[in-house]
């Protein structure tokens, strides 16, 4: 189906984009383009085998799709909705296992983490102006399974989380210098443990504090290119994932047995290693929290709740901008990935469909049948992978 030009101009002028869904059907990979006004798929763009994670460049003019079984990245023009290039990230003699992708907020770089069959991990860097591979950065320690990135426009680093695959009891963090393309270990000797499924870190808006989630949690100080102290803050105990808002509030998901979210005001570590924060608030939630996302203007927080036994599942929509704002669970039997379109709709992945959510009213709309297995969903630039 051809893209409707009037819809295209409407989305560009509003500052938003379409909703993009990576999916697989009959052994073929596609990106489905959803127009959020009629909630219909308006185009299917062929990509590589088993497409999964995606990212947009900060201008949101290009979409990068990681083809996890093709060792490649497909670049899509989000204005004209066409495939403009496929970038090979491995070589014919070495099988690699690419698993996550991220666009830095500055530096015009796309980062792809991958490992060979012996878990020797590398980060491939793509120049997003030329859409060409410029560097393959090996990690300083061997046998890692890398699975998540984060960063922001005020940090000189992109951060990478890895599971240890060499018998070490500690998982690993790396800071990749955006200018030098070199990876430095972070928090060496600290108690770092990840589950490998949730994005385990986020960067404070001022770029100085990296918050890493976990049973104890970790804060690390960065100043320009200096990597400073790491400390364990009580405020991050039993957290799993989270995201800083532009107003410096940190929203955290919690371990499976806990039924609340943590909202922490301006949690920071300073150059001398001291830690400070303002109010700490518990927001009522549900057990089995999974994905966490912010709406474009950060009015709403969305958290998916995984189905488990007799517990409720669905997507929790919270008006985070208002004191005692809406906090509602939209119940769904199956929940996958989550993406906001502006501040009016959210889209939740189901097994072979995508479910639109009316965010303002907290209600589920009719599903969009994809006739394919749904992997990931995106509708704009975000500061985290996964």
């Amino acid at each position: 189906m051809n893209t409707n030009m009037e819809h295209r101009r409407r989305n560009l002028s509003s500052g938003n984009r379409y909703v993009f869904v990576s999916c697989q059907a009959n052994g073929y990979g596609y990106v489905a383009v959803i127009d959020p006004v009629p909630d219909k798929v308006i185009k299917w763009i062929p990509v590589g085998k088993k497409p999964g994670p995606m990212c947009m460049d900060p201008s949101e003019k290009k979409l990068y799709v990681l083809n996890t079984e093709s060792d490649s990245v497909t670049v899509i023009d989000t204005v004209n909705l066409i495939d403009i290039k496929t970038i090979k990230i491995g070589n014919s003699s070495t099988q690699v296992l690419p698993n996550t992708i991220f666009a830095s907020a500055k530096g015009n770089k796309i980062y792809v983490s991958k490992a060979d069959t012996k878990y020797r991990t590398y980060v491939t860097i793509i120049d997003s102006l030329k859409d060409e591979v410029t560097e393959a950065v090996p990690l300083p320690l061997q046998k890692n399974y890398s699975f998540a990135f984060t960063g922001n426009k005020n940090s000189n680093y992109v951060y990478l989380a890895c599971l240890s695959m060499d018998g070490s009891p500690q998982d690993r963090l790396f800071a990749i210098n955006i200018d030098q393309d070199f990876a430095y270990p972070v928090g060496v000797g600290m108690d770092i443990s990840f589950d490998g499924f949730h994005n385990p870190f986020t960067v404070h808006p001022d770029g100085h504090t990296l918050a890493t989630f976990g049973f104890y949690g970790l804060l690390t100080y960065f100043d320009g290119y200096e990597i400073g102290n790491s400390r364990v803050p009580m405020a991050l105990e039993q957290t799993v994932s989270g995201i800083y808002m532009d107003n410096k509030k940190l929203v955290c998901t919690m371990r499976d047995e806990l039924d609340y979210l943590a909202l922490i005001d301006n949690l920071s570590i300073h150059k001398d290693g001291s830690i400070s924060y303002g109010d700490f608030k518990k927001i009522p939630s549900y057990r089995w929290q999974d994905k966490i996302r912010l709406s474009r203007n950060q009015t709403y927080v969305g958290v998916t709740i995984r189905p488990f036994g007799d517990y409720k599942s669905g997507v929790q929509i919270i008006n985070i901008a208002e004191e005692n704002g809406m906090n509602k669970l939209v119940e769904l039997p199956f929940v996958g990935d989550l993406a906001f379109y502006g501040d009016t709709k959210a889209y939740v992945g189901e097994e072979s469909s995508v479910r639109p959510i009316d965010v303002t009213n907290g209600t589920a709309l009719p599903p969009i049948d994809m006739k394919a297995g749904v992997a990931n969903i995106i509708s704009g630039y975000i500061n985290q992978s996964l």
Side-chain angles (χ1 to χ4, degrees):
M1 181 181 295
N2 291 329
T3 304
N4 183 283
M5 184 61 73
E6 181 180 351
H7 286 164
R8 186 187 306 165
R9 285 195 296 264
R10 168 183 51 75
N11 279 284
L12 289 175
S13 63
S14 70
N16 291 328
R17 295 295 185 268
Y18 297 101
V19 179
F20 298 91
V21 183
S22 58
C23 46
Q24 178 101 349
N26 300 318
Y28 295 94
Y30 299 91
V31 167
V33 184
I34 296 175
D35 186 326
V37 174
D39 278 334
K40 292 183 179 180
V41 176
I42 59 170
K43 190 165 186 178
W44 294 88
I45 303 174
V47 292
K49 293 181 180 179
K50 202 174 181 181
M54 300 178 285
C55 68
M56 283 188 183
D57 72 325
S59 73
E60 300 186 348
K61 293 180 180 179
K62 288 193 283 189
L63 174 70
Y64 293 81
V65 184
L66 186 59
N67 303 308
T68 62
E69 292 187 356
S70 297
D71 297 346
S72 66
V73 172
T74 299
V75 187
I76 293 174
D77 179 334
T78 62
V79 178
N80 298 298
L81 301 180
I82 56 172
D83 167 7
I84 56 177
K85 192 169 187 178
T86 296
I87 304 169
K88 191 70 175 175
I89 57 173
N91 58 61
S92 58
S93 61
T94 304
Q95 180 186 9
V96 297
L97 307 170
N99 51 22
T100 190
I101 189 168
F102 178 73
S104 61
K106 62 182 182 181
N108 302 310
K109 294 182 178 182
I110 308 296
Y111 295 80
V112 180
S113 70
K114 62 185 189 295
D116 61 21
T117 53
K118 295 182 180 180
Y119 291 106
R120 291 175 297 202
T121 301
Y122 300 83
V123 176
T124 293
I125 300 176
I126 298 170
D127 182 330
S128 62
L129 298 179
K130 300 178 180 179
D131 289 327
E132 296 177 352
V133 172
T134 61
E135 192 71 54
V137 180
L139 298 190
L141 301 174
Q142 296 299 310
K143 290 193 176 181
N144 301 291
Y145 178 79
S146 52
F147 68 96
F149 285 106
T150 193
N152 80 7
K153 64 183 180 180
N154 291 319
S155 175
N156 290 323
Y157 292 90
V158 164
Y159 305 95
L160 178 65
C162 300
L163 298 177
S164 169
M165 305 302 291
D166 56 12
S168 170
Q170 308 300 322
D171 293 323
R172 292 163 180 154
L173 286 171
F174 295 94
I176 303 172
N177 185 299
I178 294 174
D179 293 332
Q180 298 175 353
D181 296 334
F182 189 86
Y184 299 88
V186 176
V188 176
M190 308 296 288
D191 188 359
I192 300 172
S193 180
F194 304 130
D195 63 14
F197 299 103
H198 300 93
N199 193 303
F201 46 17
T202 184
V203 183
H204 190 285
D206 67 12
H208 292 303
T209 297
L210 173 68
T212 304
F213 306 102
F215 191 83
Y216 298 107
L218 189 72
L219 295 180
T220 305
Y221 179 80
F222 290 82
D223 186 7
Y225 295 104
E226 176 189 350
I227 302 176
N229 293 296
S230 292
R231 296 287 186 269
V232 176
M234 291 182 60
L236 290 183
E237 286 185 358
Q238 303 192 75
T239 55
V240 173
S241 187
I243 189 166
Y244 274 108
M245 301 172 62
D246 290 344
N247 62 9
K248 302 181 181 180
K249 293 183 184 295
L250 174 62
V251 190
C252 308
T253 60
M254 310 301 293
R255 292 169 63 89
D256 289 342
E257 65 270 20
L258 300 177
D259 59 358
Y260 64 88
L261 305 172
L263 179 64
I264 311 169
D265 185 26
N266 198 19
L267 177 63
S268 305
I269 185 171
H270 306 285
K271 192 167 186 175
D272 63 1
S274 63
I275 293 171
S276 65
Y277 60 94
D279 291 339
F280 181 102
K281 179 181 179 181
K282 293 182 179 180
I283 300 175
S285 184
Y286 302 85
R287 294 184 61 179
W288 310 102
Q289 301 156 18
D290 194 9
K291 307 287 186 181
I292 180 169
R293 301 284 188 264
L294 286 173
S295 65
R296 180 174 287 265
N297 294 317
Q298 303 190 0
T299 302
Y300 296 94
V301 171
V303 177
T304 58
I305 308 298
R306 304 192 311 274
F308 184 84
D310 295 330
Y311 292 97
K312 292 182 178 180
S313 63
V315 59
Q316 182 179 10
I317 303 296
I318 303 166
N319 185 335
I320 201 74
E322 295 182 5
E323 188 73 24
N324 301 316
M326 181 184 71
N327 182 345
K328 184 176 181 180
L329 179 69
V330 181
E331 292 192 48
L332 299 170
F334 184 94
V335 286
D337 202 8
L338 170 66
F340 278 93
Y341 173 78
D343 282 69
T344 57
K345 281 186 177 180
Y347 290 81
V348 181
E350 298 180 314
E351 290 183 280
S352 59
S353 62
V354 172
R355 175 75 67 166
I357 305 294
D358 180 334
V359 171
T360 305
N361 297 310
T363 56
L365 302 173
I368 305 167
D369 186 8
M370 306 300 293
K371 298 182 175 62
V374 173
N376 293 90
I377 309 173
I378 194 169
S379 185
Y381 178 79
I382 56 177
N383 281 330
Q384 295 175 315
S385 63
L386 290 179

